[in-house]
Amino acid sequence: MKQTCGDIMTPRPACVLPSDPVARAARIMKAEDVGSVPVVDGHDSNRLLGIVTDRDVVVRVVAEGRDPAATRVEEVMTRDPVTCRPEDEVEAALDAMGKHQVRRIPIVENRNRLVGIIAQADVATRLEEPEDAAEVVREISQETSPVRPTEDPTR
């Protein structure tokens, strides 16, 4: 029997609202020991609007010298993230993670209602086929472009 996204997802992940300060998202990431927090339109409706990652915080807030307490999540979040449904086979999530080079896939039901999330760690620890987990981790971790050392202008 094939595993579904619902089988390996982390249910009911902590979320933030678009109007929340980025500092709140960062505190949740620290407390939950996660690298991303889904962004929903309200805690009752739980309709997924986006996702804010630790990379978003570093690149779009810290590196730009912005104040995390004054910057709203909606200013830095990734909108319309790649998603799967609970009944989708895990293979669909793995394919999407590799194709889009993402480490997390929100799991949604009708009307884009967030019900869970699959992170790279979930794949590595909960997948029944360890070879598949190893392959997806390799695909996700591939660099999309080579990193080149900065040229020395004195040469």
PDB file of all heavy atoms in Angstrom, residues 30-59:
ATOM      1  N   LYS A  30      11.831  29.108  16.128  1.00  0.00           N
ATOM      2  CA  LYS A  30      12.749  28.696  17.204  1.00  0.00           C
ATOM      3  C   LYS A  30      12.052  27.741  18.170  1.00  0.00           C
ATOM      4  O   LYS A  30      12.600  26.676  18.495  1.00  0.00           O
ATOM      5  CB  LYS A  30      13.251  29.934  17.955  1.00  0.00           C
ATOM      6  CG  LYS A  30      14.192  29.574  19.085  1.00  0.00           C
ATOM      7  CD  LYS A  30      14.669  30.798  19.838  1.00  0.00           C
ATOM      8  CE  LYS A  30      15.572  30.364  20.986  1.00  0.00           C
ATOM      9  NZ  LYS A  30      15.993  31.479  21.811  1.00  0.00           N
ATOM     10  N   ALA A  31      10.866  28.103  18.620  1.00  0.00           N
ATOM     11  CA  ALA A  31      10.151  27.288  19.604  1.00  0.00           C
ATOM     12  C   ALA A  31       9.789  25.906  19.058  1.00  0.00           C
ATOM     13  O   ALA A  31       9.866  24.905  19.771  1.00  0.00           O
ATOM     14  CB  ALA A  31       8.883  28.010  20.070  1.00  0.00           C
ATOM     15  N   GLU A  32       9.397  25.856  17.787  1.00  0.00           N
ATOM     16  CA  GLU A  32       8.964  24.594  17.173  1.00  0.00           C
ATOM     17  C   GLU A  32      10.123  23.846  16.510  1.00  0.00           C
ATOM     18  O   GLU A  32       9.929  22.733  16.022  1.00  0.00           O
ATOM     19  CB  GLU A  32       7.879  24.873  16.122  1.00  0.00           C
ATOM     20  CG  GLU A  32       6.634  25.550  16.665  1.00  0.00           C
ATOM     21  CD  GLU A  32       5.745  24.612  17.448  1.00  0.00           C
ATOM     22  OE1 GLU A  32       5.698  23.404  17.126  1.00  0.00           O
ATOM     23  OE2 GLU A  32       5.095  25.081  18.402  1.00  0.00           O
ATOM     24  N   ASP A  33      11.298  24.477  16.453  1.00  0.00           N
ATOM     25  CA  ASP A  33      12.473  23.905  15.793  1.00  0.00           C
ATOM     26  C   ASP A  33      12.155  23.537  14.342  1.00  0.00           C
ATOM     27  O   ASP A  33      12.360  22.403  13.903  1.00  0.00           O
ATOM     28  CB  ASP A  33      13.004  22.690  16.562  1.00  0.00           C
ATOM     29  CG  ASP A  33      14.379  22.255  16.072  1.00  0.00           C
ATOM     30  OD1 ASP A  33      15.124  23.102  15.549  1.00  0.00           O
ATOM     31  OD2 ASP A  33      14.704  21.049  16.213  1.00  0.00           O
ATOM     32  N   VAL A  34      11.615  24.529  13.607  1.00  0.00           N
ATOM     33  CA  VAL A  34      11.253  24.346  12.200  1.00  0.00           C
ATOM     34  C   VAL A  34      11.865  25.469  11.371  1.00  0.00           C
ATOM     35  O   VAL A  34      12.244  26.515  11.902  1.00  0.00           O
ATOM     36  CB  VAL A  34       9.718  24.318  11.994  1.00  0.00           C
ATOM     37  CG1 VAL A  34       9.105  23.118  12.702  1.00  0.00           C
ATOM     38  CG2 VAL A  34       9.059  25.611  12.473  1.00  0.00           C
ATOM     39  N   GLY A  35      11.934  25.255  10.070  1.00  0.00           N
ATOM     40  CA  GLY A  35      12.520  26.244   9.173  1.00  0.00           C
ATOM     41  C   GLY A  35      11.517  27.062   8.405  1.00  0.00           C
ATOM     42  O   GLY A  35      11.900  27.889   7.582  1.00  0.00           O
ATOM     43  N   SER A  36      10.222  26.843   8.670  1.00  0.00           N
ATOM     44  CA  SER A  36       9.201  27.623   7.979  1.00  0.00           C
ATOM     45  C   SER A  36       7.922  27.639   8.789  1.00  0.00           C
ATOM     46  O   SER A  36       7.692  26.761   9.624  1.00  0.00           O
ATOM     47  CB  SER A  36       8.921  27.034   6.594  1.00  0.00           C
ATOM     48  OG  SER A  36       8.306  25.774   6.730  1.00  0.00           O
ATOM     49  N   VAL A  37       7.119  28.658   8.507  1.00  0.00           N
ATOM     50  CA  VAL A  37       5.820  28.777   9.150  1.00  0.00           C
ATOM     51  C   VAL A  37       4.800  29.150   8.073  1.00  0.00           C
ATOM     52  O   VAL A  37       4.994  30.138   7.356  1.00  0.00           O
ATOM     53  CB  VAL A  37       5.830  29.860  10.262  1.00  0.00           C
ATOM     54  CG1 VAL A  37       4.471  29.967  10.930  1.00  0.00           C
ATOM     55  CG2 VAL A  37       6.900  29.575  11.299  1.00  0.00           C
ATOM     56  N   PRO A  38       3.734  28.361   7.938  1.00  0.00           N
ATOM     57  CA  PRO A  38       2.686  28.719   6.975  1.00  0.00           C
ATOM     58  C   PRO A  38       1.997  30.020   7.375  1.00  0.00           C
ATOM     59  O   PRO A  38       1.886  30.339   8.564  1.00  0.00           O
ATOM     60  CB  PRO A  38       1.706  27.548   7.056  1.00  0.00           C
ATOM     61  CG  PRO A  38       2.497  26.423   7.646  1.00  0.00           C
ATOM     62  CD  PRO A  38       3.483  27.078   8.574  1.00  0.00           C
ATOM     63  N   VAL A  39       1.538  30.746   6.370  1.00  0.00           N
ATOM     64  CA  VAL A  39       0.814  31.999   6.577  1.00  0.00           C
ATOM     65  C   VAL A  39      -0.633  31.760   6.165  1.00  0.00           C
ATOM     66  O   VAL A  39      -0.894  31.335   5.028  1.00  0.00           O
ATOM     67  CB  VAL A  39       1.424  33.144   5.742  1.00  0.00           C
ATOM     68  CG1 VAL A  39       0.691  34.452   6.017  1.00  0.00           C
ATOM     69  CG2 VAL A  39       2.916  33.292   6.028  1.00  0.00           C
ATOM     70  N   VAL A  40      -1.565  31.996   7.084  1.00  0.00           N
ATOM     71  CA  VAL A  40      -2.985  31.758   6.827  1.00  0.00           C
ATOM     72  C   VAL A  40      -3.774  33.052   6.997  1.00  0.00           C
ATOM     73  O   VAL A  40      -3.313  33.992   7.643  1.00  0.00           O
ATOM     74  CB  VAL A  40      -3.550  30.660   7.758  1.00  0.00           C
ATOM     75  CG1 VAL A  40      -2.874  29.317   7.483  1.00  0.00           C
ATOM     76  CG2 VAL A  40      -3.400  31.033   9.227  1.00  0.00           C
ATOM     77  N   ASP A  41      -4.979  33.075   6.401  1.00  0.00           N
ATOM     78  CA  ASP A  41      -5.788  34.288   6.460  1.00  0.00           C
ATOM     79  C   ASP A  41      -6.496  34.466   7.797  1.00  0.00           C
ATOM     80  O   ASP A  41      -6.981  35.539   8.114  1.00  0.00           O
ATOM     81  CB  ASP A  41      -6.789  34.342   5.308  1.00  0.00           C
ATOM     82  CG  ASP A  41      -7.854  33.260   5.379  1.00  0.00           C
ATOM     83  OD1 ASP A  41      -7.708  32.305   6.174  1.00  0.00           O
ATOM     84  OD2 ASP A  41      -8.831  33.362   4.620  1.00  0.00           O
ATOM     85  N   GLY A  42      -6.582  33.433   8.590  1.00  0.00           N
ATOM     86  CA  GLY A  42      -7.197  33.504   9.908  1.00  0.00           C
ATOM     87  C   GLY A  42      -7.048  32.163  10.593  1.00  0.00           C
ATOM     88  O   GLY A  42      -7.018  31.126   9.927  1.00  0.00           O
ATOM     89  N   HIS A  43      -6.960  32.165  11.906  1.00  0.00           N
ATOM     90  CA  HIS A  43      -6.735  30.910  12.620  1.00  0.00           C
ATOM     91  C   HIS A  43      -7.969  30.009  12.598  1.00  0.00           C
ATOM     92  O   HIS A  43      -7.859  28.812  12.833  1.00  0.00           O
ATOM     93  CB  HIS A  43      -6.252  31.168  14.044  1.00  0.00           C
ATOM     94  CG  HIS A  43      -4.881  31.794  14.075  1.00  0.00           C
ATOM     95  ND1 HIS A  43      -3.758  31.134  13.628  1.00  0.00           N
ATOM     96  CD2 HIS A  43      -4.469  33.028  14.460  1.00  0.00           C
ATOM     97  CE1 HIS A  43      -2.712  31.922  13.749  1.00  0.00           C
ATOM     98  NE2 HIS A  43      -3.111  33.077  14.252  1.00  0.00           N
ATOM     99  N   ASP A  44      -9.141  30.560  12.294  1.00  0.00           N
ATOM    100  CA  ASP A  44     -10.339  29.730  12.194  1.00  0.00           C
ATOM    101  C   ASP A  44     -10.469  29.122  10.802  1.00  0.00           C
ATOM    102  O   ASP A  44     -10.681  27.925  10.655  1.00  0.00           O
ATOM    103  CB  ASP A  44     -11.594  30.542  12.526  1.00  0.00           C
ATOM    104  CG  ASP A  44     -11.661  30.921  13.998  1.00  0.00           C
ATOM    105  OD1 ASP A  44     -11.124  30.171  14.834  1.00  0.00           O
ATOM    106  OD2 ASP A  44     -12.247  31.970  14.308  1.00  0.00           O
ATOM    107  N   SER A  45     -10.316  29.943   9.780  1.00  0.00           N
ATOM    108  CA  SER A  45     -10.468  29.440   8.409  1.00  0.00           C
ATOM    109  C   SER A  45      -9.242  28.652   7.972  1.00  0.00           C
ATOM    110  O   SER A  45      -9.347  27.704   7.207  1.00  0.00           O
ATOM    111  CB  SER A  45     -10.702  30.593   7.436  1.00  0.00           C
ATOM    112  OG  SER A  45      -9.555  31.417   7.378  1.00  0.00           O
ATOM    113  N   ASN A  46      -8.063  29.066   8.446  1.00  0.00           N
ATOM    114  CA  ASN A  46      -6.804  28.382   8.147  1.00  0.00           C
ATOM    115  C   ASN A  46      -6.520  28.281   6.642  1.00  0.00           C
ATOM    116  O   ASN A  46      -5.869  27.349   6.193  1.00  0.00           O
ATOM    117  CB  ASN A  46      -6.788  26.996   8.787  1.00  0.00           C
ATOM    118  CG  ASN A  46      -5.577  26.787   9.661  1.00  0.00           C
ATOM    119  OD1 ASN A  46      -4.991  27.739  10.158  1.00  0.00           O
ATOM    120  ND2 ASN A  46      -5.201  25.554   9.849  1.00  0.00           N
ATOM    121  N   ARG A  47      -7.001  29.252   5.861  1.00  0.00           N
ATOM    122  CA  ARG A  47      -6.769  29.234   4.409  1.00  0.00           C
ATOM    123  C   ARG A  47      -5.338  29.680   4.127  1.00  0.00           C
ATOM    124  O   ARG A  47      -4.918  30.760   4.526  1.00  0.00           O
ATOM    125  CB  ARG A  47      -7.752  30.140   3.684  1.00  0.00           C
ATOM    126  CG  ARG A  47      -7.691  29.986   2.161  1.00  0.00           C
ATOM    127  CD  ARG A  47      -8.822  30.732   1.481  1.00  0.00           C
ATOM    128  NE  ARG A  47      -8.759  32.167   1.716  1.00  0.00           N
ATOM    129  CZ  ARG A  47      -8.057  33.028   0.975  1.00  0.00           C
ATOM    130  NH1 ARG A  47      -7.383  32.609  -0.061  1.00  0.00           N
ATOM    131  NH2 ARG A  47      -8.060  34.314   1.266  1.00  0.00           N
ATOM    132  N   LEU A  48      -4.583  28.826   3.459  1.00  0.00           N
ATOM    133  CA  LEU A  48      -3.171  29.087   3.190  1.00  0.00           C
ATOM    134  C   LEU A  48      -2.999  30.222   2.191  1.00  0.00           C
ATOM    135  O   LEU A  48      -3.574  30.204   1.106  1.00  0.00           O
ATOM    136  CB  LEU A  48      -2.504  27.819   2.643  1.00  0.00           C
ATOM    137  CG  LEU A  48      -1.012  27.916   2.373  1.00  0.00           C
ATOM    138  CD1 LEU A  48      -0.231  28.057   3.676  1.00  0.00           C
ATOM    139  CD2 LEU A  48      -0.537  26.690   1.602  1.00  0.00           C
ATOM    140  N   LEU A  49      -2.187  31.208   2.574  1.00  0.00           N
ATOM    141  CA  LEU A  49      -1.859  32.332   1.695  1.00  0.00           C
ATOM    142  C   LEU A  49      -0.409  32.286   1.232  1.00  0.00           C
ATOM    143  O   LEU A  49      -0.066  32.799   0.176  1.00  0.00           O
ATOM    144  CB  LEU A  49      -2.092  33.663   2.421  1.00  0.00           C
ATOM    145  CG  LEU A  49      -3.504  33.932   2.904  1.00  0.00           C
ATOM    146  CD1 LEU A  49      -3.538  35.221   3.713  1.00  0.00           C
ATOM    147  CD2 LEU A  49      -4.463  33.999   1.733  1.00  0.00           C
ATOM    148  N   GLY A  50       0.444  31.700   2.070  1.00  0.00           N
ATOM    149  CA  GLY A  50       1.861  31.681   1.746  1.00  0.00           C
ATOM    150  C   GLY A  50       2.636  30.940   2.814  1.00  0.00           C
ATOM    151  O   GLY A  50       2.071  30.235   3.649  1.00  0.00           O
ATOM    152  N   ILE A  51       3.943  31.136   2.754  1.00  0.00           N
ATOM    153  CA  ILE A  51       4.828  30.508   3.730  1.00  0.00           C
ATOM    154  C   ILE A  51       6.007  31.455   3.954  1.00  0.00           C
ATOM    155  O   ILE A  51       6.444  32.141   3.021  1.00  0.00           O
ATOM    156  CB  ILE A  51       5.288  29.112   3.248  1.00  0.00           C
ATOM    157  CG1 ILE A  51       5.944  28.322   4.372  1.00  0.00           C
ATOM    158  CG2 ILE A  51       6.177  29.207   2.032  1.00  0.00           C
ATOM    159  CD1 ILE A  51       6.053  26.836   4.066  1.00  0.00           C
ATOM    160  N   VAL A  52       6.456  31.548   5.178  1.00  0.00           N
ATOM    161  CA  VAL A  52       7.638  32.347   5.481  1.00  0.00           C
ATOM    162  C   VAL A  52       8.698  31.379   6.008  1.00  0.00           C
ATOM    163  O   VAL A  52       8.421  30.562   6.881  1.00  0.00           O
ATOM    164  CB  VAL A  52       7.342  33.508   6.462  1.00  0.00           C
ATOM    165  CG1 VAL A  52       6.870  33.027   7.802  1.00  0.00           C
ATOM    166  CG2 VAL A  52       8.535  34.424   6.600  1.00  0.00           C
ATOM    167  N   THR A  53       9.875  31.448   5.413  1.00  0.00           N
ATOM    168  CA  THR A  53      10.957  30.528   5.772  1.00  0.00           C
ATOM    169  C   THR A  53      12.061  31.271   6.498  1.00  0.00           C
ATOM    170  O   THR A  53      12.143  32.508   6.466  1.00  0.00           O
ATOM    171  CB  THR A  53      11.550  29.867   4.516  1.00  0.00           C
ATOM    172  OG1 THR A  53      12.217  30.872   3.738  1.00  0.00           O
ATOM    173  CG2 THR A  53      10.472  29.179   3.681  1.00  0.00           C
ATOM    174  N   ASP A  54      12.935  30.483   7.123  1.00  0.00           N
ATOM    175  CA  ASP A  54      14.089  31.091   7.779  1.00  0.00           C
ATOM    176  C   ASP A  54      14.929  31.851   6.753  1.00  0.00           C
ATOM    177  O   ASP A  54      15.476  32.910   7.041  1.00  0.00           O
ATOM    178  CB  ASP A  54      14.913  30.051   8.537  1.00  0.00           C
ATOM    179  CG  ASP A  54      15.219  28.781   7.751  1.00  0.00           C
ATOM    180  OD1 ASP A  54      14.916  28.689   6.536  1.00  0.00           O
ATOM    181  OD2 ASP A  54      15.767  27.848   8.366  1.00  0.00           O
ATOM    182  N   ARG A  55      14.995  31.354   5.536  1.00  0.00           N
ATOM    183  CA  ARG A  55      15.723  32.045   4.469  1.00  0.00           C
ATOM    184  C   ARG A  55      15.062  33.387   4.128  1.00  0.00           C
ATOM    185  O   ARG A  55      15.750  34.382   3.917  1.00  0.00           O
ATOM    186  CB  ARG A  55      15.807  31.161   3.230  1.00  0.00           C
ATOM    187  CG  ARG A  55      16.558  31.806   2.082  1.00  0.00           C
ATOM    188  CD  ARG A  55      16.975  30.789   1.042  1.00  0.00           C
ATOM    189  NE  ARG A  55      17.470  31.282  -0.210  1.00  0.00           N
ATOM    190  CZ  ARG A  55      18.432  32.157  -0.428  1.00  0.00           C
ATOM    191  NH1 ARG A  55      19.018  32.732   0.587  1.00  0.00           N
ATOM    192  NH2 ARG A  55      18.819  32.495  -1.636  1.00  0.00           N
ATOM    193  N   ASP A  56      13.724  33.435   4.089  1.00  0.00           N
ATOM    194  CA  ASP A  56      13.018  34.699   3.858  1.00  0.00           C
ATOM    195  C   ASP A  56      13.399  35.719   4.934  1.00  0.00           C
ATOM    196  O   ASP A  56      13.637  36.896   4.636  1.00  0.00           O
ATOM    197  CB  ASP A  56      11.498  34.505   3.884  1.00  0.00           C
ATOM    198  CG  ASP A  56      10.960  33.671   2.743  1.00  0.00           C
ATOM    199  OD1 ASP A  56      11.559  33.690   1.643  1.00  0.00           O
ATOM    200  OD2 ASP A  56       9.943  32.987   2.951  1.00  0.00           O
ATOM    201  N   VAL A  57      13.454  35.272   6.180  1.00  0.00           N
ATOM    202  CA  VAL A  57      13.793  36.167   7.289  1.00  0.00           C
ATOM    203  C   VAL A  57      15.212  36.706   7.120  1.00  0.00           C
ATOM    204  O   VAL A  57      15.454  37.906   7.251  1.00  0.00           O
ATOM    205  CB  VAL A  57      13.629  35.455   8.650  1.00  0.00           C
ATOM    206  CG1 VAL A  57      14.145  36.323   9.786  1.00  0.00           C
ATOM    207  CG2 VAL A  57      12.171  35.062   8.874  1.00  0.00           C
ATOM    208  N   VAL A  58      16.140  35.827   6.784  1.00  0.00           N
ATOM    209  CA  VAL A  58      17.542  36.251   6.643  1.00  0.00           C
ATOM    210  C   VAL A  58      17.733  37.160   5.439  1.00  0.00           C
ATOM    211  O   VAL A  58      18.311  38.248   5.551  1.00  0.00           O
ATOM    212  CB  VAL A  58      18.474  35.017   6.546  1.00  0.00           C
ATOM    213  CG1 VAL A  58      19.877  35.422   6.162  1.00  0.00           C
ATOM    214  CG2 VAL A  58      18.477  34.263   7.865  1.00  0.00           C
ATOM    215  N   VAL A  59      17.232  36.736   4.283  1.00  0.00           N
ATOM    216  CA  VAL A  59      17.491  37.470   3.038  1.00  0.00           C
ATOM    217  C   VAL A  59      16.655  38.739   2.914  1.00  0.00           C
ATOM    218  O   VAL A  59      17.155  39.779   2.485  1.00  0.00           O
ATOM    219  CB  VAL A  59      17.258  36.542   1.819  1.00  0.00           C
ATOM    220  CG1 VAL A  59      17.327  37.300   0.513  1.00  0.00           C
ATOM    221  CG2 VAL A  59      18.267  35.403   1.828  1.00  0.00           C
TER     222      VAL A  59
END
